[in-house]
Amino acid sequence: SYVLTQPPSVSEAPGKTARITCGGNNIGTKSVHWYQQKPGQAPVLVIYYDSDRPSGIPERFSGSNSGNTATLTISRVEAGDEADYYCQVWDTSSDHHVVFGGGTKLTVL
Amino acid sequence: QVQLVESGGGVVQPGRSLRLSCAASGFTFSSSTMHWVRQAPGKGLEWVAVILFDGSNKYYPDSVKGRFTISRDNSKNTLYLQVNSLRPEDTAVYYCARSPIEADVFYFDYWGQGTLVTVSS
């Protein structure tokens, strides 16, 4: 089955740029989606199809995907961005399974 | 606005069964692919089932195949998850989530607030 690998934690100071990676075999050939989850809340979609932003998501959130790594970039990090972030793909090679990465805790210093 | 409201969670003994429900509103439920995703306490997200808009196809990960059954009643705008032979490791918050109608891949644009299932004797 397909595996997505995320770093358990990333830390960044306010105003700086945070990058959260999601590794997978030839992930660049798949569409990657990203979710933000704050404590006690349901996940929220922040990036879909690698780099598209849903309405209401700040332009500070962007995404890219190439080779074996997809990246969620958060520019001008704010305290309110502190959350868990999950990447996700649809693996059509394994009976239409949805796969999530293990999640990355973003800490704003 | 889109709303997904889960219910049916609770404390259940190992080996017992439970049926979770998700009431949908604010969109054309009968045209939407729907999913269940769970999250064990302090852990990450795990997808557990999908059902296409008309119920024609359903898919599950190996971890729940044979024990969980997803279904829907489009006349009631309601999604269900029948969970049988429950194990302590099934303890989690269970979310229902929607895939956008226009999407050609599975992802989730709306989520419910979740219902907690605790499997314990």
Side-chain angles (χ1 to χ4, degrees):
Chain A
S1 61
Y2 196 75
V3 176
L4 295 175
T5 301
Q6 296 183 238
S9 63
V10 166
S11 299
E12 195 51 83
K16 300 296 186 181
T17 297
R19 294 178 178 84
I20 298 172
T21 58
C22 176
N25 186 36
N26 288 322
I27 195 174
T29 63
K30 301 181 183 297
S31 295
V32 179
H33 319 284
W34 291 91
Y35 305 89
Q36 175 193 69
Q37 187 181 34
K38 297 181 179 179
Q41 298 184 18
V44 172
L45 180 68
V46 294
I47 292 290
Y48 63 104
Y49 285 117
D50 298 339
S51 58
D52 289 341
R53 252 186 341 272
S55 61
I57 300 301
E59 291 183 8
R60 301 183 297 102
F61 287 80
S62 62
S64 63
N65 183 20
S66 178
N68 293 314
T69 305
T71 303
L72 173 68
T73 301
I74 308 172
S75 305
R76 303 181 299 282
V77 166
E78 302 176 355
D81 298 331
E82 186 161 293
D84 293 324
Y85 291 85
Y86 296 90
C87 59
Q88 176 254 309
V89 301
W90 179 39
D91 182 25
T92 55
S93 68
S94 62
D95 202 18
H96 302 280
H97 287 185
V98 171
V99 181
F100 286 100
T104 299
K105 168 69 175 179
L106 173 64
T107 300
V108 180
L109 301 171
Chain B
Q1 72 281 21
V2 172
Q3 278 199 310
L4 299 170
V5 180
E6 301 93 337
S7 61
V11 180
V12 60
Q13 293 180 327
R16 304 297 290 265
S17 300
L18 210 57
R19 190 176 81 157
L20 308 181
S21 299
C22 172
S25 61
F27 65 101
T28 306
F29 180 75
S30 59
S31 297
S32 298
T33 292
M34 298 296 297
H35 304 254
W36 288 96
V37 177
R38 70 181 178 181
Q39 185 171 36
K43 302 298 184 182
L45 301 171
E46 180 186 18
W47 170 77
V48 295
V50 60
I51 184 169
L52 298 192
F53 69 100
D54 58 358
S56 60
N57 284 291
K58 309 170 187 180
Y59 303 102
Y60 308 88
D62 290 345
S63 58
V64 307
K65 193 177 292 185
R67 295 192 302 122
F68 288 15
T69 302
I70 189 172
S71 62
R72 65 193 298 158
D73 186 337
N74 286 345
S75 69
K76 296 182 178 179
N77 286 350
T78 303
L79 177 73
Y80 302 101
L81 185 69
Q82 178 70 36
V83 292
N84 298 330
S85 304
L86 279 160
R87 306 165 179 169
E89 56 264 36
D90 294 320
T91 294
V93 174
Y94 285 74
Y95 296 101
C96 70
R98 184 189 86 161
S99 278
I101 294 171
E102 66 279 9
D104 61 350
V105 299
F106 289 159
Y107 69 97
F108 315 104
D109 60 349
Y110 286 96
W111 299 66
Q113 283 305 303
T115 186
L116 176 62
V117 173
T118 302
V119 183
S120 173
S121 54

